[in-house]
Amino acid sequence: MRLRLNTVLAVPALLALCSALLALRGSPASDQAVGKDPRELPVRRVGDFASAAEAYFSRDGKQLIVTARMPDHENHNVYILNTDGTNVRRITNKGKDACTFFAPDGKHIVFSSDRDADQLPPGDYANSANYPAGSEVYIANADGTGIRRLTFNTAYEAETSFSPNGKWILYTSNIDGNLELYRMTTNGKKNTRITHTSEMQEGGAFYMPDGKHVIYRAWKKGDEANKNRISQLYMIRDDGTGLTPLTDSQEFNWSPYPSPDGKHVVFAHKGTGDFEIYLLNIETRKTTRLTYHPKFDSYAVISPDGKTLEFTSSRDGAPAIYLMDLTPILNDAGSMTGTGLAESKPAPGQSAPASLAVPGEKHLANIRQLTFGGENAEAYLSADGKQLILQSTRDGKGCDAQYIMKADGSEIRMVSSGKGRTTCGYFFPNGRRIIYASTHLGGETCPPPPDFSKGYVWALYPSFDIFSADPDGSKVKRLTDNPGYDAEGTISPDGKYIIFTSYRDGDLDLYRMDANGKRVKRLTTELGYDGGAFYSLDGKKIVYRASRPKTDEELKAYKELLEVGMIRPSALELFVMDADGKNKRQITSNGAANFAPFMLPNNRQIIFSSNMDDPKGRNFDLYLVNADGTGLERVTFNETFDGFPMFTRDGKKLVFASNRNAQKRGDTNIFIADWMP
């Protein structure tokens, strides 16, 4: 799922996977007020340090552990200090150290170091394109005694942290050629690789409080030296399953760290100016900005009691450690609620964003946004209501691929090949197979967009065929083998039939075939486009959209576009027919673009999208109408697009796509709402 912050980024050399940062001059906490934006919560600097970064709390919240370099020392080493800046102790004194963390018992620490790599190139912890190959993982007592080496490879191994129960050490390694996440026991045994991606570089990982999930950042392999690289945040189970994107922006998202309640993540984001720190609600994907300073702010960590944010900032010159009071965004019970939603107490100068609902939308309650940024559409539910299949251009795709996610927006994964363009995914009722249309057999690249010099038109790619597959994307089977357009497939409630649109007989008509692609039957024969069909829940009716050119001019324009593989969807009416194609009847007659009809589970009403109330024809909203054409009622009143509605089988929830709450103009996202009859 997904976050978008409409910003431009650049990655300064200051950022390293671990802070090989600079000098520490221990002294009591400064009482000087730090100049800041009035929107920022109260902040104080911890100590009068020359330079320090990436500090982490002890379990009791009384101490900080940090990697830093004293002015009179050559290398970066591990230090521990009290949270008021007093009692600074140097813990290590050999080689270059980085990425240190307290064990939950407070008696041990883990860190990475090149202390035993005298014969290897030194590398640079501050350069992601040249990390030190001699960096290994070590464990020690909190006073620096009893240092033991845990890894023994000529590879970069760093970015260490502990699991909440202290049994596992989480770290990053490129021993297999890519930066990947690993875990091992505290004696260096049972090394287990968590991530397995050839195209991404993962790192900066921390356990969630549940001890089962891990959050981390990742960018595309090859972007290490790119100052404009895109970095996203993810969550995954520590056994490597259940990958869930937390952000989906074309910017740099960095250094995630979980809150004690397990519901939020603090992270750094490169916006206008330098890096700033944000608080992300994992469930809603809403964010609250926490820092407002033109200098670098990053490496944020929340204290165990959830009341204090520790972070690194260069606001006073060299990087130093700062503490922010988070109590203004805690609820009455003392839990963190900083989500950017109405339930949170905004920071001074901030206002909570509006509800996702729009006045007048009496049928919709508890609207939740499931995707965040980019183009996401045609999200259709599994029969049990637990999953959605959708088409999306996420992950930098040039055209739509098919994805499946849970109905809460989590654990999204691509299930098509990533080749060509896809559309119209749908679940079989038993959940064991899916269908979608794809052009990949006609070419692995995205087919060209339609020629918009002819106005707003849809492309009818002749390479579109319908395929079935397992929900994990495997066992792909071609169901149509026709040189013309075959797409827009949906499945009957009993799973026996697929209804789809095809150009196989020289016009765009609806056809029915068995679930295995056999016994194709034509259901419509009228001249004009017939498509976007869905069965009623009882399987007795089919609702669809259709164009019916009547005048000589309309017929000529329709046929001319059809010959070059296009249609103009500016005038579409809704129709209903029996499941065998008989008893066709027109439902709407408003001359608008009416599309995406779906019959309610009561088998008596239809919800659909239309621009009938916009004189310019640009804004689409959702409407209800009885199956006999009476009782028209407007459902949504959003000023931009609402479309592709679908109900759960019990009629209690509605899924739809919308431009509402877009962080960037044109973003289309998926929403789910409780339906109020």
Side-chain angles (χ1 to χ4, degrees), residues 247-523:
T247 63
D248 186 20
S249 62
Q250 299 302 304
E251 299 103 8
F252 198 99
N253 303 294
W254 177 262
S255 65
Y257 194 87
S259 65
D261 63 10
K263 298 178 181 179
H264 305 82
V265 172
V266 284
F267 68 103
H269 173 82
K270 182 64 170 68
T272 56
D274 218 314
F275 278 79
E276 300 291 352
I277 295 169
Y278 290 78
L279 180 68
L280 168 70
N281 183 302
I282 295 174
E283 180 181 0
T284 67
R285 301 299 199 271
K286 290 292 182 180
T287 60
T288 297
R289 183 172 171 178
L290 297 179
T291 60
Y292 291 83
H293 200 282
K295 297 294 186 178
F296 172 81
D297 294 311
S298 187
Y299 300 117
V301 178
I302 300 177
S303 62
D305 63 5
K307 296 181 179 180
T308 304
L309 180 82
E310 178 279 323
F311 65 101
T312 299
S313 179
S314 61
R315 58 185 60 199
D316 289 331
I321 303 301
Y322 294 81
L323 299 179
M324 175 183 287
D325 180 10
L326 294 178
T327 53
I329 58 172
L330 301 180
N331 63 22
D332 294 337
S335 299
M336 184 168 293
T337 59
T339 63
L341 295 174
E343 75 226 33
S344 68
K345 298 179 180 179
Q350 290 181 290
S351 60
S355 166
L356 293 174
V358 175
E361 295 181 343
K362 64 180 183 180
H363 289 293
L364 305 182
N366 192 25
I367 302 175
R368 285 91 73 199
Q369 187 169 344
L370 304 183
T371 64
F372 296 82
E375 294 294 321
N376 308 272
E378 295 202 55
Y380 300 123
L381 288 152
S382 57
D384 61 10
K386 295 180 178 180
Q387 296 185 92
L388 286 160
I389 187 169
L390 69 151
Q391 61 192 50
S392 176
T393 57
R394 62 186 299 122
D395 302 328
K397 296 285 185 298
C399 53
D400 288 313
Q402 292 296 309
Y403 292 80
I404 288 177
M405 65 182 178
K406 287 188 175 181
D408 63 1
S410 66
E411 299 188 17
I412 190 165
R413 62 195 187 277
M414 188 171 73
V415 294
S416 59
S417 66
K419 301 173 182 178
R421 179 185 293 272
T422 71
T423 190
C424 307
Y426 212 79
F427 284 99
F428 276 90
N430 61 15
R432 298 173 187 169
R433 298 281 286 176
I434 59 173
I435 61 168
Y436 59 88
S438 176
T439 66
H440 70 271
L441 295 184
E444 295 187 359
T445 60
C446 295
D451 180 6
F452 289 116
S453 68
K454 299 181 182 297
Y456 180 66
V457 291
W458 289 349
L460 305 169
Y461 299 112
S463 53
F464 259 134
D465 273 301
I466 297 174
F467 299 81
S468 66
D470 283 356
D472 62 1
S474 65
K475 299 181 181 178
V476 178
K477 179 183 178 182
R478 186 178 184 179
L479 298 181
T480 61
D481 187 359
N482 187 63
Y485 175 85
D486 292 302
E488 306 177 40
T490 62
I491 302 170
S492 61
D494 60 9
K496 293 181 179 180
Y497 301 112
I498 297 170
I499 188 168
F500 64 103
T501 296
S502 178
Y503 186 58
R504 62 186 60 204
D505 292 316
D507 194 15
L508 291 167
D509 283 299
L510 290 174
Y511 294 78
R512 186 188 74 186
M513 62 182 171
D514 290 348
N516 61 4
K518 307 298 183 182
R519 296 201 306 165
V520 177
K521 177 182 179 181
R522 186 175 180 178
L523 299 181

Side-chain angles (χ1 to χ4, degrees), residues 35 64 123 142 190 201 203 220 224 251 274 288 298 361 456 472 609 632 659:
L64 292 168
K190 297 184 180 180
Q201 301 279 53
K220 286 187 178 180
E224 289 77 18
E251 299 103 8
D274 218 314
T288 297
S298 187
E361 295 181 343
Y456 180 66
D472 62 1
S609 183
L632 180 67
N659 294 149

Side-chain angles (χ1 to χ4, degrees), residues 127-316:
N127 182 355
S128 57
N130 185 32
Y131 289 136
S135 176
E136 303 290 352
V137 178
Y138 296 80
I139 193 170
N141 296 326
D143 62 1
T145 62
I147 295 176
R148 290 181 287 120
R149 182 174 173 179
L150 300 182
T151 60
F152 297 83
N153 305 297
T154 56
Y156 172 76
E157 290 171 321
E159 305 168 49
T160 55
S161 60
F162 279 97
S163 62
N165 61 10
K167 293 182 179 180
W168 297 98
I169 293 173
L170 193 63
Y171 68 102
T172 298
S173 175
N174 62 3
I175 190 173
D176 292 324
N178 298 315
L179 289 174
E180 303 282 359
L181 303 184
Y182 293 78
R183 67 172 183 168
M184 62 181 168
T185 55
T186 56
N187 61 1
K189 306 298 183 182
K190 297 184 180 180
N191 275 276
T192 304
R193 182 170 168 178
I194 298 173
T195 57
H196 297 79
T197 56
S198 60
E199 72 280 4
M200 301 297 289
Q201 301 279 53
E202 290 94 347
F206 296 93
Y207 268 95
M208 296 293 290
D210 66 5
K212 299 177 181 179
H213 293 83
V214 170
I215 56 171
Y216 65 97
R217 62 99 190 107
W219 60 69
K220 286 187 178 180
K221 186 175 183 181
D223 283 353
E224 289 77 18
N226 181 3
K227 292 185 177 181
N228 294 311
R229 82 183 89 165
I230 297 169
S231 178
Q232 307 294 2
L233 307 183
Y234 298 85
M235 182 165 61
I236 194 172
R237 294 182 67 91
D238 68 356
D239 62 3
T241 63
L243 178 64
T244 302
L246 298 180
T247 63
D248 186 20
S249 62
Q250 299 302 304
E251 299 103 8
F252 198 99
N253 303 294
W254 177 262
S255 65
Y257 194 87
S259 65
D261 63 10
K263 298 178 181 179
H264 305 82
V265 172
V266 284
F267 68 103
H269 173 82
K270 182 64 170 68
T272 56
D274 218 314
F275 278 79
E276 300 291 352
I277 295 169
Y278 290 78
L279 180 68
L280 168 70
N281 183 302
I282 295 174
E283 180 181 0
T284 67
R285 301 299 199 271
K286 290 292 182 180
T287 60
T288 297
R289 183 172 171 178
L290 297 179
T291 60
Y292 291 83
H293 200 282
K295 297 294 186 178
F296 172 81
D297 294 311
S298 187
Y299 300 117
V301 178
I302 300 177
S303 62
D305 63 5
K307 296 181 179 180
T308 304
L309 180 82
E310 178 279 323
F311 65 101
T312 299
S313 179
S314 61
R315 58 185 60 199
D316 289 331

Side-chain angles (χ1 to χ4, degrees), residues 256 545 581 594 614:
R545 64 193 179 210
N594 307 283
D614 182 2

